[in-house]
Amino acid sequence: MADSLPTEFDVVIIGTGLPESILAAACSRSGQRVLHTDSRSYYGGNWASFTFSGLLSWLKECQQNSDTGDKSSAAWEGLIHETEAAVALRRKDETIQHTEVFCYVNQGMDDNVEEVDALQKNPSLVTSSTPTKPLDSACLSEETHSYVTAHEMPAKDTPKNDGEILLEVTDVEETPAKEKSCRDQTCIHTGSNRDQSENKPTEEDNTAQPKRKRITYSQIVKEGRRFNIDLVSKLLYSRGALIELLIKSNVSRYAEFKNVTQILAFREGKVEQVPCSRADVFNSKDLTVVEKRMLMKFLTFCLDYEQHPDEYQDFIQCSFADYLKTKKLTPNLQHFVLHSIAMAQSSCTTVDGLEATKNFLRCLGRFGNTPFLFPLYGQGEIPQCFCRMCAVFGGIYCLRRKVQCLVVDKESGRCKACIDHFGQRIKAEHFIVEDSFLSEEACSGVQYKQISRAVLITDQSVLKTGSDQEISILMVPPAEPHTGAVRVTELCSSTMTCMKDTCLVHLTCSSSKTAREDLEPVVKTLFTPYAETEIDKEELTKPRLLWALYFNMRDSSGVSRSSYRGLPANVYVCSGPDCGLGNEHAVKQAETLFQEIFPGEEFCPPPPNPEDIILGGDDKQPEAPGNNIVMAKLGSSEGSKNLESPGEHLQN
């Protein structure tokens, strides 16, 4: 049978989100036989990135309510033996709710532009037909299209000849968009031949306000492959757990990164740049001399606040905002520290706020003037990078292959196999399942949180500078008590996530209502809807909003293992994206589960040196059935100690 997989593995992983992909790489690297499968047609799950037409196809799937799994359910039930029980998996992904799309530009499809899998256009508004329901349960669902079997594996690793670079941070300008597809294959590119000349500001930009270009919907569709739109908006702390893991495992060679260029603050209706480094503080024109000294003194204290417990011991029970008031900081400085440096909620405790400030400060200067990095081509590249590592060490990948159920041995109570939608039984010792694949019965005792998300396409940055290639992060404080701050991440075209002359803006906050209700007030504050008739009349004060998407995403990061019902002991659950800015939760969860499954094994050890790889002889590890990839033997890890510091590879 052409669609048959090997029948035995050590680990079967269902779902290709970031935690599952890290686990797949770790298991494969330790010599385990890994099957990594996903019923979707793309890698990443809710961590994925899409081209513009790909995003419209994803939206269309989210709005479908049909359940294509009913016809095959009876088939797998007949494959369960008398001594076995079955744990059915969910037939529909119900993690996305309340999708609403707004198009503000001219939607005339001129120039004979073809739009693949696009939503039917309406001159003013395209919204989902999904009714609004309470956010405490993910009840509005999507059903992916017909599942077609495909044994898909990320491309094998090819060694670089330009030395061992741990982490490549590039400051290149606009480059041609990659011909990538999230549907058919793993698309991890390191990039080459970057065009250094595009999008550079001219001297005229500083003397005269340029007239904005007219942008139409057909242009956005035509340039749709230049967009790489993330479902979840995150940045990488330069000394965070994910960066350290990328460097340690050498997975960083599969991706490129850019520095976030500016940290912004929103205060009294204005967007301002926040001074981060010592040089920024003393060069700032927004701070008085006294404020500069006060800020530097406080930040110096935060770097080693644990050594001075007497400074904060009496305020442990207070909020960080109240603690800042006792430090004689001006309201201006309190705002900067709370919302733009600690990036904390107003209710954050003193210790948590001090720790967040310290983390921000210790990440400064490693790869640039801000603590953050962003992966070129979007956050969805990171799960694919780990999938590629898994494939290099023998993992087998299979998209569009739905696992119908887990087979449990009644006597031992352990899961011993799974059955896919072809009826094939695949045995394994351990099973790792992403939360969205678990059935309603298994999740009946779980209380999920929700994330409100908005994706915007605008015509310029929220803060005008001498360059149109800024990557910015802005925290907008809550307008009302008991609501959360809104995180705004703005990406320029040199990040390979949007077309030239546009910006891609992501808004994120914890949900209290629907995404549109939570985020639209901030959108209206920062942007002006594009109005063709007023383009020459209105003063160019705010960026124009060209296109907007709102949706709610399930946050399963805080769910404990005990909350799920009826799962065997050897079935492990990975959560979807959380609301945080970094990726610490995903990395910590992957490492914790790996140590639980394989105690004593090193988590994602450094790769072997080429001279230590043994291709023949008695030391060769056994190959997985049907897999011709020879496993690499790690003779020594000493070579990894000789790798240069990643900071030395920062390109100016």
Side-chain angles (χ1 to χ4, degrees), residues 181-456:
S181 168
C182 294
R183 292 182 173 278
D184 300 322
Q185 57 185 353
T186 299
C187 308
I188 303 163
H189 305 268
T190 54
S192 60
N193 301 324
R194 304 296 190 208
D195 185 352
Q196 300 281 345
S197 62
E198 279 193 89
N199 296 332
K200 291 186 178 179
T202 62
E203 293 193 12
E204 294 180 2
D205 294 336
N206 299 325
T207 58
Q209 197 172 47
K211 184 176 180 179
R212 299 189 201 176
K213 293 184 178 181
R214 296 174 184 266
I215 299 175
T216 64
Y217 187 73
S218 62
Q219 288 178 276
I220 295 175
V221 174
K222 186 176 181 179
E223 299 288 334
R225 295 187 69 83
R226 293 185 181 271
F227 288 90
N228 286 291
I229 302 171
D230 296 328
L231 295 185
V232 59
S233 175
K234 290 184 175 292
L235 297 174
L236 285 73
Y237 281 93
S238 64
R239 295 188 187 276
L242 183 54
I243 287 292
E244 299 299 343
L245 181 62
L246 287 167
I247 294 173
K248 172 189 173 184
S249 62
N250 207 19
V251 172
S252 59
R253 69 184 183 271
Y254 300 136
E256 292 181 69
F257 302 85
K258 281 186 73 72
N259 297 306
V260 172
T261 56
Q262 53 185 5
I263 311 293
L264 304 179
F266 185 79
R267 186 166 182 264
E268 296 178 351
K270 295 190 300 181
V271 176
E272 304 172 357
Q273 186 165 355
V274 176
C276 297
S277 64
R278 181 185 296 270
D280 288 342
V281 171
F282 287 107
N283 290 331
S284 175
K285 297 179 181 179
D286 298 321
L287 301 177
T288 66
V289 174
V290 174
E291 284 182 318
K292 291 176 181 180
R293 291 175 179 171
M294 294 169 64
L295 180 59
M296 287 305 304
K297 181 179 179 181
F298 179 74
L299 295 182
T300 302
F301 155 71
C302 290
L303 274 172
D304 59 350
Y305 75 92
E306 297 99 333
Q307 307 302 319
H308 309 281
D310 52 303
E311 292 280 340
Y312 63 91
Q313 205 70 38
D314 295 336
F315 304 95
I316 290 182
Q317 303 299 324
C318 299
S319 68
F320 188 48
D322 291 336
Y323 173 71
L324 292 176
K325 295 176 183 177
T326 68
K327 302 303 290 183
K328 300 180 180 179
L329 298 176
T330 64
N332 195 31
L333 294 181
Q334 292 177 37
H335 183 91
F336 281 175
V337 172
L338 179 63
H339 295 292
S340 301
I341 296 179
M343 296 188 180
Q345 302 291 344
S346 300
S347 58
C348 171
T349 66
T350 297
V351 174
D352 289 342
L354 289 172
E355 184 61 32
T357 305
K358 176 183 177 180
N359 185 47
F360 181 99
L361 296 173
R362 75 184 188 91
C363 292
L364 286 171
R366 187 179 192 186
F367 297 114
N369 291 330
T370 71
F372 305 112
L373 296 176
F374 180 79
L376 292 186
Y377 304 96
Q379 172 74 26
E381 290 293 292
I382 304 300
Q384 295 185 65
C385 290
F386 284 100
C387 290
R388 187 173 183 179
M389 177 184 175
C390 176
V392 166
F393 285 95
I396 293 180
Y397 277 82
C398 192
L399 296 183
R400 295 187 289 271
R401 195 170 187 116
K402 185 172 182 59
V403 176
Q404 302 278 35
C405 70
L406 304 176
V407 181
V408 180
D409 181 69
K410 289 182 178 179
E411 183 177 351
S412 64
R414 291 177 60 85
C415 182
K416 65 179 185 179
C418 62
I419 297 176
D420 66 16
H421 69 293
F422 286 105
Q424 182 179 359
R425 178 180 289 238
I426 300 170
K427 297 179 180 179
E429 290 295 320
H430 307 281
F431 296 83
I432 299 168
V433 184
E434 201 266 319
D435 171 271
S436 66
F437 291 95
L438 296 175
S439 66
E440 293 182 15
E441 181 181 355
C443 301
S444 59
V446 177
Q447 293 294 322
Y448 290 111
K449 296 178 292 184
Q450 296 285 329
I451 303 169
S452 289
R453 289 277 292 114
V455 178
L456 315 177

Side-chain angles (χ1 to χ4, degrees), residues 23-264:
L23 272 167
C27 293
S28 182
R29 180 67 185 84
S30 66
Q32 307 298 320
R33 297 169 298 168
V34 176
L35 171 63
H36 200 178
T37 182
D38 201 323
S39 62
R40 305 176 181 95
S41 58
Y42 51 88
Y43 286 89
N46 283 348
W47 302 79
S49 302
F50 293 105
T51 61
F52 189 74
S53 63
L55 183 69
L56 297 181
S57 296
W58 174 81
L59 280 168
K60 190 174 181 179
E61 294 174 4
C62 289
Q63 294 170 4
Q64 291 175 350
N65 293 318
S66 61
D67 191 343
T68 59
D70 288 336
K71 298 179 181 178
S72 57
S73 61
W76 66 258
E77 288 174 359
L79 299 175
I80 305 299
H81 305 151
E82 292 183 1
T83 59
E84 298 170 342
V87 177
L89 298 184
R90 194 183 294 264
R91 301 187 183 104
K92 298 185 294 183
D93 184 354
E94 300 182 353
T95 59
I96 304 298
Q97 304 181 72
H98 311 301
T99 58
E100 296 184 76
V101 179
F102 297 83
C103 188
Y104 299 94
V105 293
N106 180 12
Q107 294 205 22
M109 295 299 293
D110 53 356
D111 301 328
N112 296 320
V113 176
E114 293 186 4
E115 184 177 12
V116 181
D117 294 333
L119 290 172
Q120 186 176 1
K121 296 176 295 299
N122 180 293
S124 61
L125 170 64
V126 183
T127 64
S128 72
S129 57
T130 308
T132 300
K133 293 190 179 181
L135 291 176
D136 56 355
S137 62
C139 51
L140 303 178
S141 63
E142 69 164 293
E143 174 58 45
T144 52
H145 43 69
S146 300
Y147 303 111
V148 181
T149 306
H151 296 245
E152 303 191 20
M153 229 189 295
K156 293 183 183 180
D157 174 41
T158 53
K160 281 191 174 184
N161 296 322
D162 55 352
E164 296 176 293
I165 298 179
L166 292 184
L167 185 62
E168 186 170 356
V169 183
T170 175
D171 288 329
V172 297
E173 301 296 330
E174 178 77 12
T175 69
K178 292 185 179 179
E179 292 298 318
K180 66 179 287 185
S181 168
C182 294
R183 292 182 173 278
D184 300 322
Q185 57 185 353
T186 299
C187 308
I188 303 163
H189 305 268
T190 54
S192 60
N193 301 324
R194 304 296 190 208
D195 185 352
Q196 300 281 345
S197 62
E198 279 193 89
N199 296 332
K200 291 186 178 179
T202 62
E203 293 193 12
E204 294 180 2
D205 294 336
N206 299 325
T207 58
Q209 197 172 47
K211 184 176 180 179
R212 299 189 201 176
K213 293 184 178 181
R214 296 174 184 266
I215 299 175
T216 64
Y217 187 73
S218 62
Q219 288 178 276
I220 295 175
V221 174
K222 186 176 181 179
E223 299 288 334
R225 295 187 69 83
R226 293 185 181 271
F227 288 90
N228 286 291
I229 302 171
D230 296 328
L231 295 185
V232 59
S233 175
K234 290 184 175 292
L235 297 174
L236 285 73
Y237 281 93
S238 64
R239 295 188 187 276
L242 183 54
I243 287 292
E244 299 299 343
L245 181 62
L246 287 167
I247 294 173
K248 172 189 173 184
S249 62
N250 207 19
V251 172
S252 59
R253 69 184 183 271
Y254 300 136
E256 292 181 69
F257 302 85
K258 281 186 73 72
N259 297 306
V260 172
T261 56
Q262 53 185 5
I263 311 293
L264 304 179

Side-chain angles (χ1 to χ4, degrees), residues 566-612:
L567 294 184
N570 62 332
V571 174
Y572 306 88
V573 182
C574 286
S575 65
D578 64 317
C579 194
L581 174 61
N583 299 273
E584 317 308 302
H585 180 271
V587 176
K588 183 178 180 180
Q589 182 181 55
E591 184 171 7
T592 300
L593 289 178
F594 180 82
Q595 297 297 346
E596 186 178 343
I597 300 170
F598 304 109
E601 289 279 348
E602 184 177 2
F603 179 66
C604 284
N609 293 322
E611 59 269 21
D612 295 326

